[in-house]
Amino acid sequence: MTSATTASARACANIALVKYWGKRSGPGNLPAEGSLSLTLAALVTETTVTFDPALAVDELVLDGEPANAVRTTEFLELVRSLGGSQARARVVTHNKFPTASGLASSASGFAALAVAATRAAGVTIDPRALTRLARKGSGSAARSIFGGFVRMHAGDRDEDAFAEPITSPLLDRVRMVIAIVGGGAPKLHGSRDAMDHTAETSPLYQAWLATVPPDLATAEAALAAGDLEQLGTVAEANALAMHATTMAARPAVIYWQPATLALLAAVRTLRGNGRAAWATIDGGPHVKVLTNVEDADHVARALAGVEGVTATTVSMPGAGAEVIS
Ligand code: 2P0
């Protein structure tokens, strides 16, 4: 019997500026359209994977507690199919987030798992293939393989549905303020089920899909030109279109709380006062605000004063997923 092999990895979550919301049918967790994101230094997951011939089943420990390993095992089966270790694995993962709820932990989680598991299994894999592997764990995880601005391609086939980094003069200047909306309500709708439900029942879904390619083109042009206003404007509009689509699903999927709307109003006020501030919202009530290094602290203070906001964090762009031991 061979001995246990282990590796640890760190990955940052990412926030989409042009959202992924809807899958193509069939295997491989293929997105219906592309997406574009910013990886964030403030949202870090660290994961250690140990392939151990003494284990009978895969085990998952999430933030110190034993957790359901079904999705982890599905993912580890993909790693084992790449020809490295065939042993079961113990996965110990920790989200080092300022708060635990609804902050893209599946993106950082599956990116860190992809890096740690392939390394621990002894599988050699190039970065693009690693993004495709991470995508099969969670669509947004493909983007967390890279730091900074990242473009996910929907492609026509499995091989074409990968993520790649995008260079931009904005990378040094951009910041994201994360405003956490409290209330303690657990997330009502997991993203995976909610996007399938939206695709099946929302009369706005086809219009949403038609919105994404031109929004991607606008966002990429803004990144190339270093135009934060253009990037922020399209990001806010794209997020609101995604949420309009989910709200029109039957029955509706509504992620917002009263503080979410209050934050959107505060962001408009900040812009009216000449500040750089554009909002985006994911599968939860929190609001993330794209801003620049000059305005980040002012924006964070303003958002902290909105009723219902329990915490704010200013994040720099984060690095790509990497092995840490
Ligand atoms: C995104 N979200 O682009 C969008 C916007 C949430 C809102 O990707 O089913 O957990 O695992 O592929 O990646 C969340 O969905 O979905 C997500 P799966 P995932 O960031």
Side-chain angles (χ1 to χ4, degrees):
M1 189 178 275
T2 51
S3 59
T5 55
T6 191
S8 298
R10 176 187 297 130
C12 300
N14 68 79
I15 298 300
L17 302 173
V18 178
K19 304 293 189 191
Y20 152 52
W21 198 255
K23 301 173 194 292
R24 301 215 286 283
S25 56
N29 200 31
L30 291 160
E33 271 301 343
S35 56
L36 189 151
S37 60
L38 178 62
T39 300
L40 293 184
L43 305 178
V44 175
T45 297
E46 287 183 0
T47 299
T48 298
V49 178
T50 305
F51 286 95
D52 185 346
L55 290 172
V57 293
D58 297 315
E59 296 175 359
L60 174 63
V61 178
L62 172 61
D63 290 331
E65 301 287 338
N68 184 318
V70 170
R71 264 179 93 176
T72 303
T73 288
E74 284 172 10
F75 189 79
L76 291 171
E77 289 298 340
L78 297 172
V79 175
R80 284 186 281 260
S81 76
L82 297 174
S85 175
Q86 299 301 302
R88 304 300 108 179
R90 182 179 307 104
V91 176
V92 179
T93 187
H94 183 52
N95 292 323
K96 303 172 84 180
F97 293 179
T99 172
S101 71
L103 283 173
S105 57
S106 75
S108 50
F110 277 100
L113 180 61
V115 170
T118 50
R119 174 62 67 97
V123 169
T124 304
I125 187 166
D126 64 62
R128 182 170 291 188
L130 195 56
T131 72
R132 289 171 39 231
L133 176 65
R135 180 200 83 222
K136 292 171 186 169
S138 192
S140 53
R143 301 186 310 237
S144 277
I145 296 298
F146 295 113
F149 295 107
V150 180
R151 169 70 204 267
M152 179 75 198
H153 299 278
D156 292 324
R157 303 162 304 168
D158 180 88
E159 303 90 279
D160 306 324
F162 61 89
E164 63 182 348
I166 309 178
T167 57
S168 171
L170 289 179
L171 190 61
D172 294 337
R173 292 171 37 215
V174 78
R175 295 291 182 273
M176 197 167 261
V177 179
I178 303 161
I180 302 296
V181 171
K187 190 161 165 172
L188 291 176
H189 314 278
S191 293
R192 183 160 286 199
D193 290 345
M195 68 174 79
D196 288 348
H197 173 67
T198 302
E200 285 161 14
T201 71
S202 176
L204 305 188
Y205 181 67
Q206 291 305 323
W208 155 251
L209 288 184
T211 303
V212 174
D215 282 358
L216 285 169
T218 301
E220 289 194 272
L223 287 175
D227 188 336
L228 184 62
E229 181 171 6
Q230 184 180 334
L231 181 67
T233 301
V234 74
E236 186 170 307
N238 182 270
L240 295 176
M242 183 202 111
H243 283 269
T245 311
T246 70
M247 287 182 201
R250 301 178 183 199
V253 175
I254 302 176
Y255 287 111
W256 299 6
Q257 293 182 15
T260 312
L261 267 174
L263 282 161
L264 289 174
V267 167
R268 276 195 302 274
T269 300
L270 284 162
R271 276 207 299 276
N273 293 336
R275 300 289 179 170
W278 295 272
T280 187
I281 308 167
D282 294 292
H286 319 301
V287 177
K288 296 93 173 190
V289 177
L290 190 70
T291 184
N292 60 26
V293 62
E294 294 84 8
D295 286 341
D297 288 339
H298 181 96
V299 168
R301 275 196 301 277
L303 300 185
V306 171
E307 189 176 345
V309 172
T310 52
T312 57
T313 302
V314 177
S315 184
M316 295 178 56
E322 59 186 358
V323 172
I324 52 176
S325 66

